[in-house]
């Protein structure tokens, strides 16, 4: 049974070098996941793969069924989840194409189903979320990056916004004042749902663009796609090196 799962974000709807052994349609108490779960091997290691936005990248960030996705991965046997997230870089060092392994997150989303503990007669549960990412998995990612010669920024604070629109320049100024280094739309409630399920969860952020107001002109999808293509090459290398460590 695969213990390691990969959630692919924008730019990673499939995994190169993944030898697929099967696909599994999952039904959950929370509805349908974004896609069928893919089982396979990556470098002779069993993994699960789920594209967060669906196989055709058709599900917007605020409409993703995060609870179904996380529940399905847990039910399929995942004990560790590596989430790939496209993000915008706020500070100058967070340049397009680079990788970030965040250690903190600030949630600016609203109206999303963000807990498993809200229905029925179950007692109220308050999970500790001081450190939102699994440090053991974070360190494995950093070790793999060092072994693979992949440059990564070793920490940072991810600002999770609602989407699907990009942010205004003033909103980015606010996020920076709050301490955010990157901004994205899919980091929450994914991280806290994994914590509620007691699944070790960490993120690899791929900087797809400089955040609003941080460069001249508009942010275009062509620009984002170009930088994601560059960053995803390093993501694939990183995954191939970290999976054996786990």
């Amino acid at each position: 049974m695969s213990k390691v799962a990969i959630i692919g974000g924008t730019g990673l709807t499939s995994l190169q070098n993944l030898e697929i052994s099967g696909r599994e349609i999952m039904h959950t108490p929370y509805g349908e996941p974004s896609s069928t779960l893919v089982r396979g091997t990556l470098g002779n290691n069993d993994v699960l793969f789920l594209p967060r936005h669906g196989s055709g990248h058709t599900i917007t960030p605020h409409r993703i069924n995060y609870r179904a996705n996380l529940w399905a991965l847990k039910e399929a046997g995942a004990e560790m989840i590596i989430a790939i997230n496209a993000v915008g870089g706020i500070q100058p060092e967070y340049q397009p194409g680079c990788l970030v392994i965040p250690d903190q997150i600030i949630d600016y989303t609203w109206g999303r189903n963000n807990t498993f503990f809200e229905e029925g007669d179950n007692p109220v549960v308050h999970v500790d979320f001081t450190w939102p990412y699994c440090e053991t998995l974070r360190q494995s990612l950093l070790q793999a990056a060092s072994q693979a010669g992949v440059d990564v920024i070793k920490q940072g604070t991810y600002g999770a916004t609602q989407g699907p629109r990009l942010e205004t320049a003033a909103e980015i100024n606010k996020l920076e004042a709050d301490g955010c280094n990157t901004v994205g739309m899919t980091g929450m409630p994914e991280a806290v749902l994994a914590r509620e399920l007691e699944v070790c969860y960490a993120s690899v952020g791929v900087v797809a663009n400089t955040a609003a107001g941080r460069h001249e002109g508009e942010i275009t999808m062509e620009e984002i796609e170009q930088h994601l293509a560059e960053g995803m090459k390093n993501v694939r290398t990183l995954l191939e090196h970290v999976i054996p460590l786990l």
Side-chain angles (χ1 to χ4, degrees):
M1 182 176 289
S2 304
K3 293 185 178 181
V4 181
I6 299 163
I7 298 178
T10 300
L12 192 69
T13 55
S14 63
L15 271 181
Q16 292 180 354
N17 301 327
L18 176 67
E19 296 183 11
I20 298 174
S21 59
R23 300 179 186 272
E24 188 172 352
I25 298 175
M26 301 291 291
H27 302 286
T28 86
Y30 307 98
E32 302 304 308
S34 295
S35 178
T36 57
L37 299 189
V38 177
R39 291 187 181 273
T41 56
L42 188 66
N44 297 319
N45 297 279
D46 292 337
V47 297
L48 290 165
F49 179 73
L50 176 67
R52 184 187 290 113
H53 297 277
S55 58
H57 199 272
T58 57
I59 307 173
T60 54
H62 68 299
R63 297 190 66 185
I64 292 168
N65 193 336
Y66 294 94
R67 291 195 298 183
N69 286 352
L70 272 294
W71 192 94
L73 291 173
K74 170 79 171 184
E75 185 71 9
E79 297 178 3
M80 292 169 281
I81 295 175
I82 300 172
I84 311 302
N85 302 88
V87 298
I90 296 177
Q91 276 89 23
E93 60 267 34
Y94 293 80
Q95 286 296 307
C98 76
L99 304 187
V100 185
I101 313 297
D103 62 336
Q104 279 295 332
I105 194 165
I106 300 178
D107 188 9
Y108 301 93
T109 66
W110 49 270
R112 302 184 183 189
N113 292 319
N114 60 4
T115 181
F116 291 107
F117 301 118
E118 66 177 2
E119 299 172 357
D121 298 323
N122 295 323
V124 175
V125 176
H126 302 285
V127 295
D128 180 80
F129 206 49
T130 306
W131 302 103
Y133 300 104
C134 174
E135 188 61 22
T136 300
L137 188 49
R138 267 189 18 91
Q139 291 301 321
S140 294
L141 286 164
L142 295 176
Q143 180 183 348
S146 178
Q147 291 177 354
V150 174
D151 290 332
V152 298
I153 297 176
K154 298 181 179 180
Q155 60 188 34
T157 297
Y158 177 122
T161 58
Q162 180 70 359
R165 68 168 177 84
L166 297 174
E167 300 75 31
T168 69
E171 287 170 333
I172 293 300
N173 289 339
K174 173 179 170 51
L175 264 63
E176 183 173 29
D178 285 349
C180 297
N181 309 112
T182 61
V183 57
M185 303 174 190
T186 55
M188 287 292 285
E190 201 172 84
V192 73
L193 292 171
R195 180 61 53 86
E196 289 187 349
L197 292 174
E198 299 182 346
V199 175
C200 186
Y201 175 98
S203 166
V204 178
V206 184
V207 180
N209 58 278
T210 304
R214 296 299 190 267
H215 73 325
E216 294 184 3
E218 296 182 355
I219 300 170
T220 66
M221 286 307 301
E222 290 78 11
E223 172 192 357
I224 289 173
E225 290 169 0
Q226 176 186 347
H227 295 312
L228 281 177
E230 297 169 0
M232 287 304 168
K233 295 176 183 178
N234 285 329
V235 167
R236 294 184 174 96
T237 300
L238 178 59
L239 291 174
E240 290 174 358
H241 281 77
V242 75
I243 299 299
L245 299 179
L246 305 177

